[in-house]
Amino acid sequence: MLAILLAGTAMIGAIVGWFVATRAEPDAPVIELVPQEQVADAIPTLTPVSQRVAQSDTRQCRYPMAFITVSTPGNPAGGTVTFRTSKYRSPPFRVTDQPQRIALPNPLPDSGGLDPLTADGDAKGLLVSLYPTARMEPINGSTTVTVRWHARPPCK
């Protein structure tokens, strides 16, 4: 009877421990990868160096990119914004209330995981399409949100 009680207690402890451990990782918005059929449309939004690297990837899968859609709803004047990850800095974009799609190279292509996404600039009311959507109004010129990047899909 004592052995059953100890085994039950251990099992409940393991379940509670697993539940707490899975909840300890911060819930981060997810950034979506660019589907292979849209890579050609995404490349022009990269820096010139990144454009060359992406264009040299003949199979279009070794240089994985994600995309964000940005806008300043209710602020037609918008502002100029540059986006950064731990390994990339985008060219400046004039963001307005009209949504535009911007590609970003995946900083963690092999493993996926968490990485900061920073918006530098002056776009008041900036919305960035992540899941869930993030409000990233650069205060004093900069704001950062941690996002979850998917691992690179296998090359076909």
Side-chain angles (χ1 to χ4, degrees):
M1 185 67 156
L2 182 60
I4 293 174
L5 182 62
L6 288 175
T9 302
M11 189 178 299
I12 290 172
I15 291 170
V16 169
W18 172 82
F19 183 78
V20 170
T22 59
R23 298 290 181 226
E25 187 173 302
D27 288 334
V30 175
I31 189 164
E32 292 299 322
L33 294 178
V34 174
Q36 277 192 306
E37 62 274 5
Q38 296 176 10
V39 168
D41 295 332
I43 288 175
T45 66
L46 299 170
T47 63
V49 170
S50 295
Q51 286 179 26
R52 284 190 292 279
V53 172
Q55 288 168 338
S56 69
D57 182 5
T58 57
R59 290 171 42 193
Q60 296 183 337
C61 61
R62 289 179 291 220
Y63 192 76
M65 294 177 281
F67 67 86
I68 54 176
T69 303
V70 296
S71 66
T72 56
N75 178 11
T80 302
V81 181
T82 300
F83 296 94
R84 289 185 288 129
T85 66
S86 63
K87 297 180 180 177
Y88 178 77
R89 182 180 187 88
S90 78
F93 290 93
R94 183 77 187 156
V95 179
T96 67
D97 59 349
Q98 297 302 310
Q100 64 181 299
R101 206 170 197 191
I102 298 170
L104 301 169
N106 187 338
L108 307 166
D110 295 324
S111 63
L114 301 176
D115 196 68
L117 173 64
T118 301
D120 298 317
D122 62 359
K124 188 171 186 166
L126 178 67
L127 286 183
V128 179
S129 69
L130 302 165
Y131 182 76
T133 299
R135 181 170 290 281
M136 293 183 71
E137 189 167 331
I139 298 172
N140 297 327
S142 187
T143 187
T144 301
V145 64
T146 299
V147 297
R148 181 172 307 285
W149 294 81
H150 294 290
R152 167 186 25 223
C155 279
K156 295 178 183 176

